[in-house]
C-alpha cells in the first residue's frame, strides 16, 4: 500500500489516518477516520485490509462561496466513471456511527462525483436518514437505490468479519437515536472508536441507549486505544442535562407558564429523542403538532420507516390543517442562524407558511449553540418582534439535552473501558487538550492529534507517527445565490496554517497545544465577524426578494 496516504507505512501493524474531524480551524465537522491493518503471511505475501468510519462534511457559514468542506478521500474509493482514477487501496467497508451530516454529509457528494462505495454498515435509522440526505441532494434515483442495496443494517451486539478486522457494534446514547460505537480488533491491536456520545439513560429516549455493561467489560479486554468524541470536553464540573429533564421542563411550560400560547419550538433535525419528548408532551397536554421545514419532515419520515411511529404511539396526527394557537406546538428549523432555514425566513416575513405572532406565540430555542455560530443566531433573532417572548438555553438550561457529554460524562466513558491510551477526536485543539487533561487526571496516557495530518501506528507501547501530510479538503462551491442548481468541486483546500507538530509516543506537547488553542480562538473571532457580515447581506437580499416563492 505505498502511496501518498500510507507512505512509509511499515509492513506489520495497525494504523489509523484522520481524514477529517480533528480540525485546527475551530470548526466541528467533516468526521472521517481510516483504519489499516497489515502483515506478511507465512508465504511472505503482504496481507492488508482497510475500513473507514464515517464520511461527514463541514459547513462554512462564513463564506459566500464555499458551502461545505469534504474530507479528501478520493484515493480510498473506486471511481468507475473515470478510468484514469487510481484507487490507492481497497476498502472492506464504510461503518457509520450515526447520520448527522458531520458524519455522513460527504456521501452524497462522492456519489455525485461518480465514486462507488464498499458495503456500508449502520443502524436502520442511520441508513434511512442517509437515504433522505441523498434524495435531498437530488441524486439520480438509480444511484440512491444502488447505494441502499449495498448497505447492511447493524444493531447493538452485532459482529462483523471484515478482512483482517473483527468489528463489534456497541450502542451508545446521543441526540441521534441508535448511535453506535465500534470495537475494532485485528491481529495487531484492539481499539474502541466511539460515536458521538452522552450518558443519558432517560425513559423518554427512543431506541438503544449506552450499553454501559458492555463498556465496563471492555476494561478486561486490554484496549490499546480509545478514540473518543471531544466536543464538550472543556466544560468541567457540569452535569449533563438529560432528556427526562427536558420533558419535565417542556411540560411545565406547556401547562403552567404558557398554557394559552402556541409553542414554537426551534430545534435541530435528526434529534429523535426531542421529537419523542415533544410528542409525549403534546399528547399529555392536548396539543397538536405541526412540523415545518424539510429537516423535520425528513427526520420523522426516517423514524417511521425505522419503526418509530410517534403518531401511532401517542394517538396524534401531525400537521392538521386547522388548529387553534393555544392547542398547537409547531416545530421549526434554524437553530444555528442559517439564513435560509424556517426561523430566519419566518422572522423576516418571507416564508410561505410560517410566521410568528407575539400576541399568541412563544419561541423556544431548544438547542445549544455550535461554536462559531453565535453571530449568526444573534443576527437572525434581531429580526424578531420586540414583544415576542424568546427563551433560550441561557434562560432555561433544561430546554436542551446535549448530544455530547461534558467532562464528567467523558470521564465515565474513559474510566469504564480503561484503554491504555486516549486519542481525542471530533474537536478543535481546545477540545482535544481538555480531553487529554481528563485522561491525565484519571491515570491514562493520551495522544493529541491536533489536525488531520498523517498516519499513526497504534501499538501496546504507544502511538507512533509514521508520516505527515497536508490537511487537504475538497470544497463544494455553490453556483447560485438561493437555489443550488449544480455544485462544483475544487480539491486541495487547506483549513490550517500552523506548523505540523512533531510528536511520538504518549507525550502531549503542552506548549504546542496552548499555541493551537490561542490560534483557534482567534480564528473563531475572525470567522464570526465574517459570518455576521455575510448574514446581514443575505438578509438584505432576502428582504429585497420579499414575495419570492422559496
Amino acid at each position: 500500500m505505498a502511496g501518498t496516504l500510507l507512505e512509509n507505512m511499515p509492513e506489520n501493524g495497525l494504523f489509523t489516518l484522520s481524514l477529517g474531524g480533528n480540525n485546527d480551524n475551530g470548526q466541528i465537522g467533516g468526521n472521517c477516520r481510516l483504519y489499516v491493518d497489515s502483515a506478511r503471511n507465512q508465504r511472505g505475501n503482504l496481507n492488508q485490509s482497510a475500513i473507514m468510519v464515517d464520511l461527514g462534511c463541514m459547513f462554512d457559514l462564513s463564506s459566500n462561496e464555499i458551502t461545505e468542506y469534504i474530507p479528501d478521500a478520493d484515493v480510498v474509493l473506486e471511481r468507475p466513471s473515470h478510468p484514469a482514477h487510481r484507487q490507492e487501496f481497497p476498502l472492506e467497508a464504510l461503518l457509520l456511527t450515526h447520520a448527522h451530516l458531520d458524519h455522513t454529509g460527504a456521501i452524497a457528494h462522492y456519489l455525485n462525483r461518480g465514486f462507488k462505495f464498499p458495503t456500508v454498515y449502520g443502524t436502520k435509522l442511520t441508513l434511512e436518514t442517509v437515504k433522505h440526505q441523498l434524495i435531498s441532494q437530488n441524486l439520480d434515483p438509480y444511484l440512491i437505490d444502488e447505494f441502499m442495496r449495498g448497505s447492511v443494517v447493524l444493531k447493538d451486539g452485532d459482529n462483523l468479519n471484515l478482512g483482517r478486522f473483527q468489528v463489534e457494534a456497541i450502542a451508545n446514547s446521543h441526540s441521534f437515536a441508535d448511535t453506535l460505537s465500534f470495537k475494532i480488533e485485528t491481529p495487531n491491536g484492539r481499539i474502541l472508536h466511539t460515536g458521538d456520545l452522552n450518558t443519558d439513560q432517560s425513559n423518554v429516549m427512543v431506541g438503544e441507549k449506552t450499553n454501559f455493561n458492555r463498556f465496563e467489560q471492555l476494561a478486561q479486554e486490554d484496549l490499546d486505544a480509545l478514540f473518543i468524541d471531544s466536543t464538550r470536553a472543556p466544560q468541567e464540573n457540569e452535569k449533563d442535562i438529560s432528556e427526562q429533564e427536558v420533558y419535565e421542563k417542556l411540560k411545565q411550560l406547556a401547562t403552567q407558564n404558557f398554557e394559552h400560547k402556541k409553542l414554537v419550538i426551534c430545534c435541530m433535525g435528526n434529534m429523535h429523542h426531542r421529537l419523542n419528548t415533544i410528542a409525549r408532551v403534546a399528547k399529555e397536554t392536548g396539543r397538536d403538532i405541526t412540523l415545518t421545514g424539510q429537516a423535520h419532515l425528513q427526520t420523522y419520515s426516517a423514524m417511521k420507516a425505522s419503526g418509530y411511529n410517534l403518531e401511532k404511539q401517542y394517538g396524534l396526527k401531525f400537521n392538521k390543517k386547522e388548529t387553534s394557537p393555544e392547542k398547537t406546538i409547531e416545530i421549526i428549523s434554524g437553530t444555528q442562524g442559517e439564513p435560509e432555514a424556517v426561523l430566519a425566513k419566518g422572522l423576516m416575513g418571507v416564508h410561505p407558511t410560517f410566521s410568528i405572532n407575539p400576541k399568541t406565540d412563544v419561541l423556544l430555542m431548544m438547542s445549544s449553540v455550535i461554536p462559531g455560530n453565535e453571530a449568526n443566531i444573534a443576527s437572525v433573532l434581531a429580526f424578531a418582534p420586540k414583544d415576542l417572548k424568546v427563551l433560550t438555553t441561557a434562560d432555561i438550561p433544561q430546554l436542551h439535552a446535549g448530544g455530547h457529554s461534558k467532562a464528567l460524562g467523558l470521564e465515565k466513558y474513559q474510566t469504564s473501558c480503561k484503554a491504555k491510551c486516549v486519542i481525542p477526536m471530533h474537536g478543535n485543539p481546545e477540545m482535544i487538550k481538555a480531553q487529554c487533561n481528563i485522561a491525565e487526571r484519571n491515570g491514562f496516557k493520551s495522544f493529541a492529534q491536533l489536525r488531520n495530518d498523517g498516519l499513526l501506528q497504534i501499538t501496546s507501547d504507544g502511538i507512533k507517527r509514521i508520516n505527515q501530510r497536508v490537511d487537504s479538503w475538497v470544497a463544494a462551491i455553490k453556483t447560485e445565490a438561493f437555489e443550488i442548481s449544480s455544485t462544483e468541486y475544487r480539491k486541495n483546500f487547506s483549513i490550517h496554517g500552523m506548523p505540523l507538530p512533531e510528536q511520538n509516543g504518549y507525550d502531549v506537547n503542552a506548549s504546542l497545544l496552548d499555541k493551537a488553542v490561542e490560534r483557534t480562538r482567534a480564528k473563531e473571532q475572525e470567522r464570526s465577524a465574517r459570518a455576521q457580515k455575510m448574514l446581514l447581506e443575505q438578509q438584505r437580499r432576502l428582504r429585497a426578494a420579499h414575495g419570492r416563492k422559496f
Side-chain angles (χ1 to χ4, degrees), residues 81-100:
S81 59
H82 288 63
H85 174 73
R86 184 178 71 87
Q87 184 183 17
E88 190 170 307
F89 54 88
L91 283 178
E92 303 286 344
L94 170 61
L95 306 175
L96 300 179
T97 59
H98 64 294
H100 281 152

Side-chain angles (χ1 to χ4, degrees), residues 78-234:
E78 290 184 68
R79 201 178 193 185
S81 59
H82 288 63
H85 174 73
R86 184 178 71 87
Q87 184 183 17
E88 190 170 307
F89 54 88
L91 283 178
E92 303 286 344
L94 170 61
L95 306 175
L96 300 179
T97 59
H98 64 294
H100 281 152
L101 286 170
D102 62 322
H103 292 260
T104 58
I107 293 174
H109 293 289
Y110 275 101
L111 288 174
N112 192 39
R113 295 167 63 205
F115 287 88
K116 185 177 180 181
F117 284 90
T119 304
V120 179
Y121 295 88
T123 62
K124 175 69 171 174
L125 183 55
T126 288
L127 295 174
E128 285 292 335
T129 302
V130 170
K131 181 174 74 173
H132 281 286
Q133 292 168 358
L134 302 182
I135 293 171
S136 70
Q137 291 290 327
N138 297 316
L139 261 67
D140 186 325
Y142 173 79
L143 289 178
I144 298 174
D145 290 342
E146 184 180 44
F147 178 86
M148 295 305 295
R149 284 197 303 269
S151 64
V152 175
V153 173
L154 280 182
K155 61 182 184 302
D156 179 40
D158 283 351
N159 290 277
L160 302 172
N161 296 318
L162 303 171
R164 294 178 59 80
F165 290 88
Q166 306 293 312
V167 177
E168 178 188 354
I170 304 174
N172 71 250
S173 303
H174 180 47
S175 54
F176 191 106
D178 296 334
T179 291
L180 294 175
S181 292
F182 297 111
K183 177 196 168 189
I184 299 172
E185 185 170 358
T186 78
N188 290 308
R190 187 181 296 112
I191 65 103
L192 181 69
H193 180 117
T194 76
D196 293 359
L197 45 73
N198 62 30
T199 57
D200 205 343
Q201 301 284 296
S202 298
N203 290 330
V204 294
M205 297 168 68
V206 297
E208 298 285 349
K209 308 176 186 68
T210 294
N211 185 344
F212 274 112
N213 288 334
R214 184 68 189 99
F215 273 83
E216 289 166 1
Q217 290 170 3
L218 292 173
Q220 309 303 316
E221 298 180 26
D222 200 27
L223 292 178
D224 294 310
L226 168 65
F227 291 80
I228 184 169
D229 167 26
S230 306
T231 311
R232 298 293 179 187

Side-chain angles (χ1 to χ4, degrees), residues 24 79 97 171 184 386 420 446 540:
D24 79 327
R79 201 178 193 185
T97 59
I184 299 172
K386 295 192 182 301
K420 295 175 185 174
S446 62
R540 184 191 66 76

Side-chain angles (χ1 to χ4, degrees), residues 1 355 515 539:
M1 288 188 184
S355 61
K515 289 179 181 178
Q539 289 171 345

Side-chain angles (χ1 to χ4, degrees), residues 258-375:
F258 305 110
E259 183 180 2
H260 301 294
K261 290 270 192 179
K262 174 183 176 180
L263 302 183
V264 178
I265 295 178
C266 189
C267 64
M268 292 181 179
N270 290 317
M271 296 192 68
H272 309 103
H273 313 307
R274 188 62 39 79
L275 280 187
N276 187 60
T277 290
I278 296 169
R280 182 171 172 180
V281 169
K283 171 66 175 178
E284 294 173 352
T285 61
R287 292 174 181 255
D288 297 313
I289 288 180
T290 298
L291 296 174
T292 303
Q294 287 301 309
H296 295 306
L297 292 171
Q298 291 173 4
T299 296
Y300 185 51
S301 177
M303 288 182 72
K304 287 199 294 185
S306 304
Y308 302 123
N309 190 326
L310 302 182
E311 292 169 288
K312 183 176 180 180
Q313 180 179 350
Y314 294 110
L316 300 170
K317 182 168 177 59
F318 292 176
N319 289 45
K320 284 184 180 179
K321 289 186 177 180
E322 295 182 4
T323 57
S324 57
E326 69 273 12
K327 293 295 183 181
T328 302
I329 298 177
E330 184 163 7
I331 306 172
I332 64 171
S333 61
T335 64
Q336 302 306 308
E338 304 92 331
E340 295 187 34
V342 175
L343 177 63
K345 289 182 180 179
L347 292 180
M348 288 185 280
V350 295
H351 193 276
T353 63
F354 171 71
S355 61
I356 197 159
N357 184 342
K359 294 181 180 179
T360 60
D361 306 344
V362 59
L363 176 60
L364 306 179
M365 299 293 291
M366 297 187 71
S367 176
S368 59
V369 179
I370 296 175
N373 291 338
E374 294 84 356

